[in-house]
Amino acid sequence: MSLTSEQITLIQESFAKVAPIKEQAAELFYGRLFEIAPEVRPLFQSDLKEQGAKLMATLGMVVAGLRNLEAVVPVAAKLAERHVGYGVKAEYYAPVGSALLWTLEQGLGEGFTPDVEEAWASAYGLLSGAMIEAAHGPSSAVTEGVA
């Protein structure tokens, strides 16, 4: 799976609209994540404001690097390997993706078109698949429905 140039442009343009409200976006994201996947809440022992800043910075880096996936994917894979040590399981990636898309929908409003949603879902599927494979092995990526 790969991303088209048009999808990358949609992702980058839509993220540029969310970036100015990154603190609120992070709050929405974690609120939604804990609502749909309460089992992940204990993984977040640190300050959620600080965690949200890290999340948005990482998203910004990934979004900026989408035209160079060969460089982004290995960094994402290393991040996933570290996350295993925090207790992250392969099955947590699906609700994270769901919470991300929901947050983008809240932040973008009418700008969250079907094409924008598809582009983000494709990018998340690509990266989360690589992350799950790196951290949990190839069979986990398939069974979690992101491959």
Side-chain angles (χ1 to χ4, degrees), residues 2-70:
S2 63
L3 300 172
T4 67
S5 181
E6 293 79 18
Q7 286 177 315
I8 293 170
T9 298
L10 285 172
I11 292 167
Q12 290 176 336
E13 288 175 352
S14 61
F15 187 75
K17 294 174 186 168
V18 174
I21 58 162
K22 62 186 173 198
E23 284 185 20
Q24 298 95 317
E27 284 179 31
L28 283 171
F29 171 81
Y30 286 113
R32 180 66 175 172
L33 179 61
F34 300 152
E35 180 183 322
I36 63 174
E39 66 275 15
V40 306
R41 180 65 182 99
L43 299 177
F44 294 89
Q45 300 297 322
S46 65
D47 176 22
L48 275 184
K49 200 170 194 76
E50 181 183 321
Q51 186 65 38
K54 289 179 185 176
L55 168 73
M56 296 306 288
T58 301
L59 262 178
M61 181 200 71
V62 169
V63 166
L66 286 176
R67 295 196 190 277
N68 186 12
L69 282 175
E70 301 78 29

Side-chain angles (χ1 to χ4, degrees), residues 84-96:
V84 171
Y86 306 138
V88 173
K89 298 177 181 174
E91 61 264 25
Y92 295 167
Y93 284 82
V96 166

Side-chain angles (χ1 to χ4, degrees), residues 64-81:
L66 286 176
R67 295 196 190 277
N68 186 12
L69 282 175
E70 301 78 29
V72 171
V73 169
V75 173
K78 290 282 184 215
L79 181 65
E81 290 169 3

Side-chain angles (χ1 to χ4, degrees), residues 1 13 20 33 55 101 110 117 128 137:
M1 177 162 80
E13 288 175 352
L33 179 61
L55 168 73
L101 292 176
E110 291 180 7
E117 180 177 14
S128 65

